[in-house]
Amino acid sequence: MSAPGPLLRLRDVGKTYPGAVPVAALADIQLEVNPGEFTAVMGPSGSGKSTLLHILGCLDRPSRGEYHLSGRAVGSLGDADLAAVRNRHIGFVFQSFHLLPRLTALENVGQPLIYAGAGPAERRRRALAALDEVGLTARVHHRPPQLSGGERQRVAIARAIINRPAIILADEPTGNLDSRSGSEVMGMLFRLHRSGTTVILVTHNANLAEQAGRLIRMHDGRVVEDTGGARQ
Ligand SMILES: Nc1ncnc2c1ncn2[C@@H]1O[C@H](COP(=O)(O)OP(=O)(O)O)[C@@H](O)[C@H]1O
Ligand SMILES: [Mg+2]
């Protein structure tokens, strides 16, 4: 991840979801994100924010255009290679947490390490450390249904950071939380940013977006405003 130039670069990227009525979700996206930026993405529902994050997070592929992650073309990678890139470099935080309900917090957090090939002792040690970092040492054996929304999102953040990813992508991470839990989650994202992580945050909250160094606004699948790091 040490190549010079932008960490993330999209060129002429478009995404059309196939189907009886194909949906054009993204068009003509040009985007460069430098290491260490904190970018907020805003826009009305359906404007393509999640689709953009899924492509940046290697959860999905563009239909058109190029995606370079740290100088490497990832748009054309096969499923296994794409999953490996995602697991190693990217942490994802979703609005609805996406935890496995039958696994404990500890097991959920250690999950990405299974794909990374770590043994049980290492998984446990690192998952405990990540849960400690988000202040959940007292909840490691709880399962998601036994946790509050704020606690679930902190488990999800611990899972997202366990591989020390260079990039955290957060898709409305406070959307299902009360304001206090939301502030805690945001505090963690800002702390990760201060320690060098590149963060991209989708939010409907203008106050949160205001705290980001850069703001991107989307409308109908296009970027209609990009402060381009001018606020950094
Ligand atoms: N898996 C999918 N299949 C078909 N259409 C989709 C899919 N995901 C999203 N869309 C459509 O793509 C457009 C952009 O959606 P999305 O990226 O989720 O927007 P946002 O996150 O800004 O609300 C919407 O019209 C949505 O209905
Ligand atoms: Mg969305």
Short mmCIF file of all heavy atoms in Angstrom, two decimals, residues 18-74:
data_model
loop_
_atom_site.label_atom_id
_atom_site.label_comp_id
_atom_site.label_asym_id
_atom_site.label_seq_id
_atom_site.Cartn_x
_atom_site.Cartn_y
_atom_site.Cartn_z
N PRO A 18 -28.18 -4.92 -13.50
CA PRO A 18 -28.95 -5.56 -14.56
C PRO A 18 -30.32 -6.00 -14.03
O PRO A 18 -30.54 -6.03 -12.83
CB PRO A 18 -28.09 -6.77 -14.94
CG PRO A 18 -27.24 -7.05 -13.76
CD PRO A 18 -27.10 -5.77 -12.97
N GLY A 19 -31.19 -6.35 -14.93
CA GLY A 19 -32.52 -6.81 -14.54
C GLY A 19 -33.50 -6.49 -15.65
O GLY A 19 -33.10 -5.94 -16.69
N ALA A 20 -34.77 -6.85 -15.43
CA ALA A 20 -35.80 -6.59 -16.43
C ALA A 20 -35.81 -5.09 -16.75
O ALA A 20 -35.91 -4.69 -17.91
CB ALA A 20 -37.16 -7.02 -15.89
N VAL A 21 -35.67 -4.28 -15.71
CA VAL A 21 -35.50 -2.83 -15.91
C VAL A 21 -34.15 -2.46 -15.29
O VAL A 21 -34.03 -2.30 -14.09
CB VAL A 21 -36.61 -2.03 -15.19
CG1 VAL A 21 -36.44 -0.54 -15.45
CG2 VAL A 21 -37.99 -2.51 -15.63
N PRO A 22 -33.09 -2.39 -16.12
CA PRO A 22 -31.76 -2.07 -15.56
C PRO A 22 -31.78 -0.71 -14.86
O PRO A 22 -32.44 0.21 -15.32
CB PRO A 22 -30.86 -2.04 -16.80
CG PRO A 22 -31.62 -2.77 -17.86
CD PRO A 22 -33.07 -2.54 -17.57
N VAL A 23 -31.05 -0.66 -13.74
CA VAL A 23 -30.99 0.60 -12.97
C VAL A 23 -29.60 1.20 -13.11
O VAL A 23 -28.60 0.57 -12.75
CB VAL A 23 -31.28 0.36 -11.48
CG1 VAL A 23 -31.16 1.66 -10.69
CG2 VAL A 23 -32.67 -0.25 -11.30
N ALA A 24 -29.55 2.42 -13.67
CA ALA A 24 -28.27 3.14 -13.76
C ALA A 24 -28.03 3.82 -12.41
O ALA A 24 -28.63 4.84 -12.11
CB ALA A 24 -28.34 4.17 -14.88
N ALA A 25 -27.15 3.23 -11.59
CA ALA A 25 -26.95 3.72 -10.22
C ALA A 25 -25.80 4.72 -10.13
O ALA A 25 -25.82 5.61 -9.29
CB ALA A 25 -26.70 2.56 -9.27
N LEU A 26 -24.80 4.58 -10.99
CA LEU A 26 -23.66 5.51 -11.01
C LEU A 26 -23.28 5.83 -12.45
O LEU A 26 -23.35 4.94 -13.32
CB LEU A 26 -22.44 4.91 -10.32
CG LEU A 26 -22.46 4.70 -8.81
CD1 LEU A 26 -21.14 4.04 -8.37
CD2 LEU A 26 -22.68 6.01 -8.05
N ALA A 27 -22.88 7.07 -12.70
CA ALA A 27 -22.44 7.46 -14.04
C ALA A 27 -21.29 8.43 -13.94
O ALA A 27 -21.29 9.35 -13.10
CB ALA A 27 -23.60 8.10 -14.80
N ASP A 28 -20.28 8.21 -14.79
CA ASP A 28 -19.18 9.18 -14.95
C ASP A 28 -18.53 9.61 -13.65
O ASP A 28 -18.32 10.80 -13.41
CB ASP A 28 -19.68 10.45 -15.67
CG ASP A 28 -20.13 10.17 -17.08
OD1 ASP A 28 -19.55 9.25 -17.69
OD2 ASP A 28 -21.07 10.83 -17.54
N ILE A 29 -18.24 8.66 -12.79
CA ILE A 29 -17.63 9.03 -11.51
C ILE A 29 -16.12 9.16 -11.69
O ILE A 29 -15.44 8.23 -12.13
CB ILE A 29 -17.93 7.97 -10.42
CG1 ILE A 29 -19.43 7.77 -10.23
CG2 ILE A 29 -17.24 8.36 -9.10
CD1 ILE A 29 -20.16 8.92 -9.58
N GLN A 30 -15.61 10.35 -11.33
CA GLN A 30 -14.17 10.60 -11.29
C GLN A 30 -13.86 10.93 -9.85
O GLN A 30 -14.44 11.87 -9.31
CB GLN A 30 -13.76 11.81 -12.16
CG GLN A 30 -14.53 11.98 -13.45
CD GLN A 30 -14.20 10.92 -14.48
OE1 GLN A 30 -13.18 10.23 -14.36
NE2 GLN A 30 -15.04 10.78 -15.49
N LEU A 31 -12.99 10.15 -9.25
CA LEU A 31 -12.75 10.40 -7.82
C LEU A 31 -11.33 9.96 -7.46
O LEU A 31 -10.90 8.87 -7.83
CB LEU A 31 -13.77 9.60 -7.00
CG LEU A 31 -13.65 9.69 -5.47
CD1 LEU A 31 -13.94 11.10 -4.99
CD2 LEU A 31 -14.60 8.70 -4.81
N GLU A 32 -10.64 10.83 -6.76
CA GLU A 32 -9.34 10.45 -6.21
C GLU A 32 -9.37 10.75 -4.72
O GLU A 32 -9.78 11.84 -4.32
CB GLU A 32 -8.20 11.24 -6.86
CG GLU A 32 -8.01 10.87 -8.32
CD GLU A 32 -6.75 11.46 -8.92
OE1 GLU A 32 -6.07 12.26 -8.23
OE2 GLU A 32 -6.45 11.13 -10.07
N VAL A 33 -8.97 9.79 -3.93
CA VAL A 33 -8.91 10.00 -2.48
C VAL A 33 -7.47 9.73 -2.04
O VAL A 33 -6.91 8.66 -2.35
CB VAL A 33 -9.88 9.06 -1.73
CG1 VAL A 33 -9.74 9.22 -0.23
CG2 VAL A 33 -11.32 9.33 -2.17
N ASN A 34 -6.90 10.70 -1.35
CA ASN A 34 -5.51 10.56 -0.89
C ASN A 34 -5.46 9.91 0.48
O ASN A 34 -6.41 10.01 1.25
CB ASN A 34 -4.83 11.93 -0.87
CG ASN A 34 -4.61 12.46 -2.26
OD1 ASN A 34 -4.12 11.73 -3.14
ND2 ASN A 34 -5.02 13.69 -2.50
N PRO A 35 -4.32 9.29 0.78
CA PRO A 35 -4.18 8.67 2.10
C PRO A 35 -4.40 9.69 3.20
O PRO A 35 -3.91 10.82 3.11
CB PRO A 35 -2.73 8.17 2.11
CG PRO A 35 -2.28 8.15 0.70
CD PRO A 35 -3.12 9.14 -0.04
N GLY A 36 -5.15 9.31 4.21
CA GLY A 36 -5.33 10.17 5.37
C GLY A 36 -6.50 11.14 5.27
O GLY A 36 -6.77 11.86 6.22
N GLU A 37 -7.19 11.17 4.13
CA GLU A 37 -8.35 12.06 4.02
C GLU A 37 -9.53 11.53 4.84
O GLU A 37 -9.67 10.33 5.02
CB GLU A 37 -8.80 12.19 2.56
CG GLU A 37 -7.97 13.18 1.76
CD GLU A 37 -8.62 13.51 0.41
OE1 GLU A 37 -8.72 12.60 -0.43
OE2 GLU A 37 -9.01 14.66 0.22
N PHE A 38 -10.38 12.46 5.28
CA PHE A 38 -11.67 12.11 5.88
C PHE A 38 -12.73 12.73 4.99
O PHE A 38 -12.87 13.95 4.92
CB PHE A 38 -11.79 12.64 7.31
CG PHE A 38 -12.94 12.03 8.08
CD1 PHE A 38 -12.69 11.30 9.25
CD2 PHE A 38 -14.25 12.15 7.65
CE1 PHE A 38 -13.74 10.73 9.96
CE2 PHE A 38 -15.30 11.58 8.35
CZ PHE A 38 -15.05 10.87 9.52
N THR A 39 -13.46 11.91 4.27
CA THR A 39 -14.42 12.38 3.28
C THR A 39 -15.82 12.03 3.70
O THR A 39 -16.09 10.87 4.05
CB THR A 39 -14.12 11.72 1.90
OG1 THR A 39 -12.77 12.00 1.54
CG2 THR A 39 -15.05 12.25 0.83
N ALA A 40 -16.72 13.00 3.64
CA ALA A 40 -18.14 12.73 3.88
C ALA A 40 -18.85 12.70 2.54
O ALA A 40 -18.53 13.47 1.63
CB ALA A 40 -18.74 13.82 4.76
N VAL A 41 -19.79 11.77 2.39
CA VAL A 41 -20.60 11.67 1.18
C VAL A 41 -22.05 11.90 1.57
O VAL A 41 -22.58 11.20 2.45
CB VAL A 41 -20.45 10.28 0.51
CG1 VAL A 41 -21.30 10.20 -0.76
CG2 VAL A 41 -18.99 9.99 0.20
N MET A 42 -22.67 12.89 0.93
CA MET A 42 -24.08 13.16 1.19
C MET A 42 -24.86 13.08 -0.12
O MET A 42 -24.28 13.10 -1.20
CB MET A 42 -24.26 14.57 1.78
CG MET A 42 -23.58 14.75 3.13
SD MET A 42 -24.10 16.29 3.94
CE MET A 42 -25.67 15.79 4.62
N GLY A 43 -26.18 13.01 0.00
CA GLY A 43 -27.03 12.97 -1.18
C GLY A 43 -28.34 12.30 -0.83
O GLY A 43 -28.40 11.53 0.13
N PRO A 44 -29.38 12.57 -1.62
CA PRO A 44 -30.68 11.98 -1.31
C PRO A 44 -30.66 10.46 -1.43
O PRO A 44 -29.77 9.89 -2.05
CB PRO A 44 -31.63 12.60 -2.35
CG PRO A 44 -30.78 13.36 -3.30
CD PRO A 44 -29.39 13.45 -2.78
N SER A 45 -31.66 9.85 -0.83
CA SER A 45 -31.81 8.40 -0.95
C SER A 45 -31.89 8.01 -2.42
O SER A 45 -32.56 8.68 -3.21
CB SER A 45 -33.10 8.01 -0.21
OG SER A 45 -33.27 6.64 -0.28
N GLY A 46 -31.17 6.96 -2.79
CA GLY A 46 -31.19 6.50 -4.17
C GLY A 46 -30.19 7.20 -5.08
O GLY A 46 -30.13 6.93 -6.28
N SER A 47 -29.37 8.09 -4.53
CA SER A 47 -28.44 8.84 -5.38
C SER A 47 -27.16 8.08 -5.69
O SER A 47 -26.32 8.57 -6.44
CB SER A 47 -28.12 10.20 -4.74
OG SER A 47 -27.53 10.05 -3.47
N GLY A 48 -26.99 6.89 -5.09
CA GLY A 48 -25.85 6.06 -5.46
C GLY A 48 -24.74 6.00 -4.41
O GLY A 48 -23.67 5.44 -4.66
N LYS A 49 -25.00 6.52 -3.22
CA LYS A 49 -23.96 6.57 -2.19
C LYS A 49 -23.50 5.16 -1.79
O LYS A 49 -22.30 4.90 -1.72
CB LYS A 49 -24.49 7.32 -0.94
CG LYS A 49 -25.03 8.70 -1.24
CD LYS A 49 -25.53 9.40 0.01
CE LYS A 49 -26.69 8.69 0.71
NZ LYS A 49 -27.94 8.63 -0.07
N SER A 50 -24.45 4.28 -1.51
CA SER A 50 -24.06 2.93 -1.09
C SER A 50 -23.39 2.18 -2.23
O SER A 50 -22.43 1.44 -2.02
CB SER A 50 -25.29 2.15 -0.60
OG SER A 50 -25.79 2.71 0.58
N THR A 51 -23.90 2.37 -3.44
CA THR A 51 -23.28 1.71 -4.60
C THR A 51 -21.82 2.16 -4.73
O THR A 51 -20.92 1.34 -4.96
CB THR A 51 -24.07 2.06 -5.87
OG1 THR A 51 -25.43 1.62 -5.71
CG2 THR A 51 -23.47 1.39 -7.09
N LEU A 52 -21.59 3.47 -4.55
CA LEU A 52 -20.22 3.99 -4.62
C LEU A 52 -19.35 3.33 -3.55
O LEU A 52 -18.23 2.87 -3.83
CB LEU A 52 -20.24 5.51 -4.44
CG LEU A 52 -18.88 6.20 -4.39
CD1 LEU A 52 -18.18 6.08 -5.74
CD2 LEU A 52 -19.01 7.66 -3.98
N LEU A 53 -19.87 3.25 -2.34
CA LEU A 53 -19.08 2.65 -1.26
C LEU A 53 -18.82 1.17 -1.51
O LEU A 53 -17.74 0.66 -1.22
CB LEU A 53 -19.79 2.85 0.10
CG LEU A 53 -18.96 3.66 1.08
CD1 LEU A 53 -18.70 5.05 0.55
CD2 LEU A 53 -19.58 3.71 2.47
N HIS A 54 -19.83 0.48 -2.04
CA HIS A 54 -19.64 -0.95 -2.33
C HIS A 54 -18.54 -1.15 -3.37
O HIS A 54 -17.75 -2.09 -3.26
CB HIS A 54 -20.94 -1.58 -2.83
CG HIS A 54 -21.96 -1.74 -1.74
ND1 HIS A 54 -23.26 -2.11 -1.98
CD2 HIS A 54 -21.87 -1.57 -0.40
CE1 HIS A 54 -23.92 -2.16 -0.84
NE2 HIS A 54 -23.10 -1.84 0.13
N ILE A 55 -18.48 -0.28 -4.34
CA ILE A 55 -17.42 -0.41 -5.35
C ILE A 55 -16.08 -0.07 -4.72
O ILE A 55 -15.10 -0.83 -4.86
CB ILE A 55 -17.73 0.48 -6.57
CG1 ILE A 55 -18.89 -0.16 -7.36
CG2 ILE A 55 -16.50 0.65 -7.45
CD1 ILE A 55 -19.40 0.67 -8.50
N LEU A 56 -16.02 1.04 -3.97
CA LEU A 56 -14.75 1.40 -3.32
C LEU A 56 -14.29 0.30 -2.37
O LEU A 56 -13.10 0.06 -2.21
CB LEU A 56 -14.91 2.72 -2.56
CG LEU A 56 -15.09 3.97 -3.43
CD1 LEU A 56 -15.37 5.18 -2.55
CD2 LEU A 56 -13.87 4.22 -4.31
N GLY A 57 -15.26 -0.37 -1.73
CA GLY A 57 -14.94 -1.41 -0.77
C GLY A 57 -14.76 -2.79 -1.37
O GLY A 57 -14.66 -3.77 -0.63
N CYS A 58 -14.76 -2.88 -2.69
CA CYS A 58 -14.58 -4.17 -3.38
C CYS A 58 -15.67 -5.17 -3.02
O CYS A 58 -15.43 -6.38 -3.05
CB CYS A 58 -13.20 -4.75 -3.11
SG CYS A 58 -11.83 -3.70 -3.62
N LEU A 59 -16.84 -4.67 -2.62
CA LEU A 59 -17.98 -5.57 -2.42
C LEU A 59 -18.72 -5.76 -3.74
O LEU A 59 -19.56 -6.65 -3.87
CB LEU A 59 -18.94 -4.98 -1.39
CG LEU A 59 -18.42 -4.93 0.04
CD1 LEU A 59 -19.31 -4.06 0.92
CD2 LEU A 59 -18.33 -6.34 0.62
N ASP A 60 -18.45 -4.89 -4.67
CA ASP A 60 -19.09 -4.96 -5.99
C ASP A 60 -18.12 -4.38 -7.01
O ASP A 60 -17.12 -3.76 -6.64
CB ASP A 60 -20.40 -4.15 -5.95
CG ASP A 60 -21.38 -4.61 -7.03
OD1 ASP A 60 -21.01 -5.45 -7.88
OD2 ASP A 60 -22.52 -4.10 -7.02
N ARG A 61 -18.43 -4.62 -8.28
CA ARG A 61 -17.53 -4.14 -9.34
C ARG A 61 -18.24 -3.08 -10.17
O ARG A 61 -19.46 -3.15 -10.36
CB ARG A 61 -17.17 -5.27 -10.28
CG ARG A 61 -16.34 -6.35 -9.67
CD ARG A 61 -15.95 -7.33 -10.77
NE ARG A 61 -15.20 -8.41 -10.19
CZ ARG A 61 -15.73 -9.39 -9.51
NH1 ARG A 61 -17.04 -9.45 -9.32
NH2 ARG A 61 -14.97 -10.34 -9.00
N PRO A 62 -17.45 -2.14 -10.72
CA PRO A 62 -18.06 -1.19 -11.65
C PRO A 62 -18.53 -1.91 -12.92
O PRO A 62 -17.97 -2.94 -13.29
CB PRO A 62 -16.92 -0.23 -12.00
CG PRO A 62 -15.74 -0.62 -11.20
CD PRO A 62 -16.00 -1.93 -10.54
N SER A 63 -19.56 -1.37 -13.57
CA SER A 63 -19.96 -1.89 -14.88
C SER A 63 -19.06 -1.32 -15.96
O SER A 63 -18.85 -1.93 -17.01
CB SER A 63 -21.41 -1.49 -15.21
OG SER A 63 -22.27 -1.79 -14.15
N ARG A 64 -18.58 -0.11 -15.71
CA ARG A 64 -17.72 0.58 -16.67
C ARG A 64 -16.64 1.34 -15.90
O ARG A 64 -16.83 1.67 -14.74
CB ARG A 64 -18.52 1.63 -17.48
CG ARG A 64 -19.66 1.06 -18.28
CD ARG A 64 -20.52 2.19 -18.86
NE ARG A 64 -21.21 2.94 -17.82
CZ ARG A 64 -22.29 2.49 -17.17
NH1 ARG A 64 -22.78 1.28 -17.43
NH2 ARG A 64 -22.85 3.24 -16.25
N GLY A 65 -15.55 1.64 -16.60
CA GLY A 65 -14.52 2.49 -16.01
C GLY A 65 -13.51 1.69 -15.21
O GLY A 65 -13.54 0.46 -15.18
N GLU A 66 -12.60 2.42 -14.60
CA GLU A 66 -11.47 1.79 -13.89
C GLU A 66 -11.46 2.16 -12.42
O GLU A 66 -11.75 3.29 -12.07
CB GLU A 66 -10.15 2.33 -14.46
CG GLU A 66 -9.82 1.83 -15.83
CD GLU A 66 -8.58 2.53 -16.35
OE1 GLU A 66 -7.81 3.11 -15.53
OE2 GLU A 66 -8.39 2.50 -17.56
N TYR A 67 -11.07 1.17 -11.62
CA TYR A 67 -10.85 1.43 -10.20
C TYR A 67 -9.44 0.98 -9.83
O TYR A 67 -9.11 -0.19 -10.00
CB TYR A 67 -11.90 0.68 -9.37
CG TYR A 67 -11.71 0.80 -7.86
CD1 TYR A 67 -10.98 1.85 -7.31
CD2 TYR A 67 -12.26 -0.13 -7.00
CE1 TYR A 67 -10.80 1.97 -5.94
CE2 TYR A 67 -12.11 -0.02 -5.62
CZ TYR A 67 -11.37 1.03 -5.10
OH TYR A 67 -11.18 1.14 -3.75
N HIS A 68 -8.64 1.92 -9.36
CA HIS A 68 -7.30 1.59 -8.86
C HIS A 68 -7.27 1.81 -7.36
O HIS A 68 -7.64 2.87 -6.87
CB HIS A 68 -6.25 2.47 -9.52
CG HIS A 68 -5.95 2.08 -10.93
ND1 HIS A 68 -6.73 2.48 -11.98
CD2 HIS A 68 -4.97 1.29 -11.44
CE1 HIS A 68 -6.23 1.96 -13.10
NE2 HIS A 68 -5.16 1.23 -12.80
N LEU A 69 -6.83 0.79 -6.66
CA LEU A 69 -6.67 0.88 -5.20
C LEU A 69 -5.18 0.80 -4.93
O LEU A 69 -4.54 -0.22 -5.25
CB LEU A 69 -7.42 -0.28 -4.55
CG LEU A 69 -7.24 -0.51 -3.04
CD1 LEU A 69 -7.59 0.72 -2.25
CD2 LEU A 69 -8.09 -1.69 -2.60
N SER A 70 -4.62 1.89 -4.41
CA SER A 70 -3.18 1.97 -4.19
C SER A 70 -2.41 1.61 -5.46
O SER A 70 -1.42 0.88 -5.41
CB SER A 70 -2.80 1.02 -3.06
OG SER A 70 -1.63 1.45 -2.46
N GLY A 71 -2.89 2.12 -6.58
CA GLY A 71 -2.18 1.93 -7.85
C GLY A 71 -2.49 0.63 -8.56
O GLY A 71 -2.06 0.41 -9.69
N ARG A 72 -3.26 -0.24 -7.94
CA ARG A 72 -3.52 -1.55 -8.52
C ARG A 72 -4.93 -1.58 -9.10
O ARG A 72 -5.90 -1.19 -8.42
CB ARG A 72 -3.40 -2.59 -7.41
CG ARG A 72 -3.62 -4.00 -7.86
CD ARG A 72 -3.40 -4.93 -6.67
NE ARG A 72 -3.62 -6.31 -7.08
CZ ARG A 72 -3.82 -7.30 -6.25
NH1 ARG A 72 -3.82 -7.08 -4.94
NH2 ARG A 72 -4.01 -8.52 -6.69
N ALA A 73 -5.07 -2.04 -10.34
CA ALA A 73 -6.39 -2.13 -10.97
C ALA A 73 -7.16 -3.27 -10.32
O ALA A 73 -6.75 -4.43 -10.39
CB ALA A 73 -6.25 -2.37 -12.47
N VAL A 74 -8.25 -2.94 -9.63
CA VAL A 74 -8.99 -3.99 -8.93
C VAL A 74 -10.33 -4.31 -9.60
O VAL A 74 -10.94 -5.32 -9.30
CB VAL A 74 -9.25 -3.64 -7.44
CG1 VAL A 74 -7.96 -3.66 -6.66
CG2 VAL A 74 -9.92 -2.30 -7.29
#
